[in-house]
Amino acid sequence: MSRNRGRDTGPEVLLRKALWKLGLRYRLGFKLPGRPDLVFPGARLVVFVDGCFWHSCPEHRVMPKNNAGFWARKLVRTTERDAAIEQELSQAGWRVIRLWEHEIHSNAVGAAERVAAAVRVSG
Ligand SMILES: [Zn+2]
């Protein structure tokens, strides 16, 4: 449930390892709106790994019972910010892939193959 987009959280590391095995090379820490977790500059593609709690995954979202109003507003703001960032990136010519942390935990290779397919589309 860590809030920060640390560079070495579990699902990100799993995804990076799977991408590496597929021979994909990405950039980290690229300065773009929303600080995407992975960037493929040549393919104009960015990847976000979204935590199920913070980004309100439809399968795993849970509303904390304490301070429910606070949390509801906070999580809605996060979702709205995600949408705004995505729009900003796409207006700047970037394609955006969002992966849930649960997708990566259950099938990191499948998630990596989705990214690989998108990278290939752009040649
Ligand atoms: Zn989830």
Side-chain angles (χ1 to χ4, degrees):
M1 278 203 199
S2 171
R3 167 119 208 241
N4 68 53
R5 281 208 175 274
R7 293 292 142 196
D8 296 306
T9 59
E12 280 183 44
V13 171
L14 285 173
L15 179 65
R16 295 209 302 255
K17 283 183 180 156
L19 287 168
W20 197 259
K21 274 191 194 147
L22 292 177
L24 289 183
R25 300 297 177 257
Y26 44 78
R27 296 276 301 274
L28 303 174
F30 213 78
K31 296 279 183 269
L32 282 172
R35 293 173 60 209
D37 295 296
L38 302 174
V39 178
F40 296 87
R44 296 292 283 175
L45 178 76
V46 302
V47 178
F48 288 98
V49 176
D50 288 342
C52 290
F53 173 74
W54 287 106
H55 299 268
S56 302
C57 156
E59 288 177 44
H60 302 110
R61 66 177 149 213
V62 271
M63 190 52 67
K65 291 195 172 61
N66 293 326
N67 296 318
F70 165 82
W71 282 108
R73 284 190 299 277
K74 194 175 185 67
L75 295 177
V76 164
R77 271 203 306 276
T78 299
T79 302
E80 287 170 351
R81 196 181 60 223
D82 286 347
I85 286 167
E86 202 163 318
Q87 197 179 6
E88 197 179 338
L89 285 165
S90 75
Q91 279 167 358
W94 292 91
R95 287 176 300 145
V96 178
I97 291 184
R98 309 197 81 97
L99 298 167
W100 292 112
E101 63 175 332
H102 77 251
E103 292 179 79
I104 295 168
H105 280 305
S106 69
N107 185 1
V109 174
E113 280 169 351
R114 240 180 87 194
V115 174
V119 170
R120 278 195 296 271
V121 163
S122 70

